[in-house]
Amino acid sequence: MHVRCCAHTVNLIVCTRLKDIDDLVVKIRNAVRFVRSSPSRQLVFNQCAKWLKIGSKEYVCLDVATRWNSTYMMLDAVVKFDVVFMRLEEIDPRYLSYFEVDSQGKQKNLGPPALEN
């Protein structure tokens, strides 16, 4: 008789449910990856948060795709900064170009996440 531990069972349940919203998680992951990929992008993001008076001490963190709790922490932080990501589309032309179609007709990265998502 094999009995799984409770943590493993919870992990399996959460990972199964996360697959239902996988496209949205990938879009958010790509947006966070854009912000975290260079200090200048992080600075623009932080300035935008300051202009919008987002007073959170947290920062957006990139998840580890195989660890659901890190995905949860990433999504939790992004919810607090959703307005900043929308504003980033307006002030940083590199943000939208990060998701555009390349010269061969393939989309570079899935995203950006929309506010209604």
Side-chain angles (χ1 to χ4, degrees):
M1 184 170 172
H2 177 72
V3 179
R4 293 183 179 177
C5 75
C6 182
H8 183 69
T9 304
V10 170
N11 185 41
L12 291 173
I13 292 169
V14 172
C15 288
T16 302
R17 294 293 103 201
L18 279 175
K19 287 180 184 176
D20 293 343
I21 59 168
D22 190 52
D23 285 345
L24 178 59
V25 173
V26 169
K27 288 179 182 181
I28 292 171
R29 187 178 295 131
N30 287 336
V32 171
R33 187 173 288 134
F34 170 82
V35 170
R36 304 273 306 180
S37 65
S38 79
S40 65
R41 291 176 181 176
Q42 184 77 40
L43 182 64
V44 169
F45 184 83
N46 292 340
Q47 288 174 344
C48 191
K50 194 179 288 187
W51 291 330
L52 294 170
K53 296 182 175 34
I54 307 291
S56 178
K57 298 264 183 198
E58 293 183 32
Y59 294 103
V60 291
C61 58
L62 191 58
D63 71 330
V64 178
T66 57
R67 300 221 167 165
W68 69 266
N69 59 334
S70 69
T71 303
Y72 171 77
M73 290 188 297
M74 177 186 72
L75 295 174
D76 187 46
V78 166
V79 166
K80 296 173 183 143
F81 291 102
D82 61 346
V83 179
V84 179
F85 280 103
M86 297 304 130
R87 180 77 172 142
L88 199 59
E89 290 180 15
E90 299 169 10
I91 63 171
D92 192 352
R94 298 176 297 177
Y95 181 67
L96 287 179
S97 68
Y98 184 74
F99 302 104
E100 288 177 349
V101 176
D102 65 7
S103 60
Q104 298 167 344
K106 296 180 182 176
Q107 189 168 10
K108 292 189 260 184
N109 295 297
L110 188 61
L115 188 57
E116 60 270 3
N117 294 20

